[in-house]
Amino acid sequence: QAQLVESGGGLVQAGDSLRLSCAASTRTFYYYALAWFRQAPGQEREFVAAVTWDNANQYYSDSVKGRFTIARIHHKDTLHLQMNSLKPDDTAVYYCAAGRPMGGADMFTRAPLYNYWGQGTQVTVSS
């Protein structure tokens, strides 16, 4: 059964960096787009970043653009999210997702278009 497993979350201070990882259990996701979403308590799940299956395009939410970098390592079936200059507003559970959204950049930001989800990893940024 294909699974996504996140790791790397933790408690950091504002301004610190953290790198999240997402490991795929099989090569099922080779031709899938991969993405990171996050969900803070009492809020809806929010798009963070996505990368196309071929690494040709990366997409970011405005709130993380310039601070976060998504990176896909195909031969290791791994996805990373490098998070720099962290802010308390970045506090959330971060989820890795795989899907096959079609169309323009906006489609990659839509959670319902992703079929597979990891269990999430908590990121807490203190002020």
Side-chain angles (χ1 to χ4, degrees), residues 9 40 44:
E44 294 186 354

Side-chain angles (χ1 to χ4, degrees), residues 26-42:
T26 72
R27 303 230 76 190
T28 299
F29 306 113
Y30 189 90
Y31 292 106
Y32 280 66
L34 297 177
W36 290 97
F37 287 78
R38 66 187 182 186
Q39 188 166 18

Side-chain angles (χ1 to χ4, degrees), residues 29-35 50-53 72 97-101 108 114:
F29 306 113
Y30 189 90
Y31 292 106
Y32 280 66
L34 297 177
V51 58
T52 53
W53 76 271
R72 180 175 194 154
R100 306 186 76 168
F108 289 84
Y114 291 85

Side-chain angles (χ1 to χ4, degrees), residues 33-119:
L34 297 177
W36 290 97
F37 287 78
R38 66 187 182 186
Q39 188 166 18
Q43 297 187 21
E44 294 186 354
R45 193 163 294 190
E46 172 191 28
F47 169 75
V48 176
V51 58
T52 53
W53 76 271
D54 57 359
N55 263 326
N57 294 290
Q58 296 84 37
Y59 306 103
Y60 297 93
S61 68
D62 289 342
S63 62
V64 307
K65 197 174 295 182
R67 299 188 298 121
F68 290 12
T69 302
I70 190 170
R72 180 175 194 154
I73 314 298
H74 259 304
H75 71 274
K76 293 186 177 180
D77 298 320
T78 301
L79 180 72
H80 297 296
L81 184 68
Q82 178 66 42
M83 305 186 294
N84 298 329
S85 302
L86 282 162
K87 306 174 182 179
D89 285 349
D90 295 319
T91 295
V93 177
Y94 283 71
Y95 297 92
C96 175
R100 306 186 76 168
M102 306 293 286
D106 181 62
M107 303 304 287
F108 289 84
T109 71
R110 302 185 183 184
L113 297 184
Y114 291 85
N115 309 98
Y116 298 89
W117 292 83
Q119 82 289 349

